[in-house]
Amino acid sequence: MYNQRPKVLIVGTFHFEESPDMIQTDTGDIFSQHRQKEVLLAAEKIAAFKPSKVAVEAVKTEEDALNKTYEDYLTQHVTLPASEIYQLGFRICEAMAHEKIYAVDWMDDIGNKSIGDVLEWAKANQTDMYDLITGFYIPQITPELKGLSIVEGLIHINQKERLQVEHELYLHIAQISDGTNYVGVDWVRWWYQRNLIIFNNIMKLAENTEDRILVLIGGAHVHLLSQFLKESGRADVEKVEDYLS
């Protein structure tokens, strides 16, 4: 139905600073001279996509504050915080002479259990699933970045095999339950809702078929966002390896 569609490039990232996420990474000192060179190279490679808009993993309601920080960076050359939102997102926007950066995330509470609550319940009530998740899945997908450059780390994060295993993790979490007490589903429904809202916010940026939208977001989101975008029939999803290799 739609012959010409906006292009979307999803770059799954790891967090450059400490976060509350289930999957933690250690990049070392992102402000060190060699890491900063690596960040600049990564930004340069990703910017080759020539995005018309850059979307990042910041809460949509905080977009105005995010853009005030971006304006201060451009005009006052303030030091960028450690987060990949700034280290990569701001630098790519600057390289493309963009006046604005876009926040697409959503983190509202819908009364669901937290992931911590779910895993604690599994530890006490469903030890086989808890052991599988914490003993196999989480170690399998936790990036080991020591000795890797930022570009190499991003390539690792975006490997199809790793993304598939990461998606399997969430479907295993959905199986944490007892009878009709669907403990894991209570959190996974929030996870799907969050990603559907991110998808919605991305599509709102596609104002015309010429748009090229770059999405910088945690690697855990890549599988679902790619699925939603492709299956919507409204966007072409670019291959990240074409830009990071």
Side-chain angles (χ1 to χ4, degrees):
M1 182 178 179
Y2 298 94
N3 295 323
Q4 191 171 3
R5 299 178 290 198
K7 302 266 191 295
V8 180
L9 175 65
I10 306 172
V11 179
T13 65
F14 48 88
H15 294 302
F16 289 6
E17 60 183 352
E18 188 175 339
S19 80
D21 284 9
M22 179 170 53
I23 309 301
Q24 294 293 320
T25 56
D26 180 10
T27 61
D29 182 8
I30 201 68
F31 296 110
S32 67
Q33 187 175 17
H34 80 277
R35 280 300 196 200
Q36 283 296 297
K37 287 182 179 178
E38 292 173 359
V39 169
L40 291 172
L41 177 60
E44 180 182 344
K45 283 180 171 288
I46 297 167
F49 171 63
K50 295 186 175 11
S52 58
K53 294 168 184 171
V54 177
V56 293
E57 190 179 344
V59 176
K60 180 69 175 175
T61 55
E62 298 176 2
E63 188 172 88
D64 288 345
L66 180 68
N67 276 284
K68 177 61 171 65
T69 304
Y70 178 55
E71 181 183 344
D72 290 345
Y73 165 68
L74 292 179
T75 59
Q76 302 175 32
H77 307 291
V78 297
T79 301
L80 290 174
S83 168
E84 67 281 358
I85 290 173
Y86 308 102
Q87 294 290 322
L88 290 176
F90 277 24
R91 284 179 165 134
I92 293 169
C93 280
E94 180 185 27
M96 301 305 301
H98 290 182
E99 295 182 356
K100 183 175 182 179
I101 190 167
Y102 296 87
V104 292
D105 201 3
W106 172 88
M107 288 289 289
D108 285 4
D109 180 6
I110 56 172
N112 59 288
K113 292 179 177 64
S114 70
I115 186 60
D117 293 337
V118 172
L119 291 178
E120 280 301 309
W121 187 94
K123 185 176 182 180
N125 299 279
Q126 198 173 346
T127 55
D128 57 337
M129 189 63 75
Y130 177 82
D131 290 343
L132 180 62
I133 289 170
T134 60
F136 174 74
Y137 277 100
I138 291 179
Q140 278 280 105
I141 63 175
T142 299
E144 179 52 67
L145 300 179
K146 290 181 180 178
L148 296 183
S149 69
I150 297 296
V151 169
E152 289 169 338
L154 292 173
I155 291 172
H156 173 73
I157 286 286
N158 288 277
Q159 287 178 335
K160 290 181 180 178
E161 296 80 7
R162 200 202 72 85
L163 294 173
Q164 179 59 42
V165 172
E166 191 161 28
H167 182 59
E168 287 178 15
L169 164 64
Y170 294 108
L171 295 180
H172 278 76
I173 292 171
Q175 297 174 60
I176 295 172
S177 64
D178 180 19
T180 57
N181 183 18
Y182 304 109
V183 180
V185 170
D186 190 45
W187 180 81
V188 174
R189 69 186 173 97
W190 174 89
W191 175 247
Y192 268 75
Q193 180 167 343
R194 180 183 175 191
N195 282 281
L196 282 166
I197 290 172
I198 294 170
F199 158 72
N200 180 281
N201 287 332
I202 292 169
M203 290 309 303
K204 284 179 179 175
L205 298 180
E207 296 176 315
N208 60 69
T209 58
E210 302 300 319
D211 265 319
R212 300 176 64 82
I213 301 164
L214 168 65
V215 182
L216 297 169
I217 199 157
H221 298 273
V222 173
H223 182 98
L224 285 180
L225 291 180
S226 297
Q227 177 188 347
F228 297 156
L229 286 161
K230 290 175 183 177
E231 293 182 358
S232 74
R234 299 296 303 274
D236 291 325
V237 179
E238 297 277 288
K239 295 179 180 178
V240 69
E241 56 266 29
D242 289 346
Y243 299 94
L244 290 177
S245 59

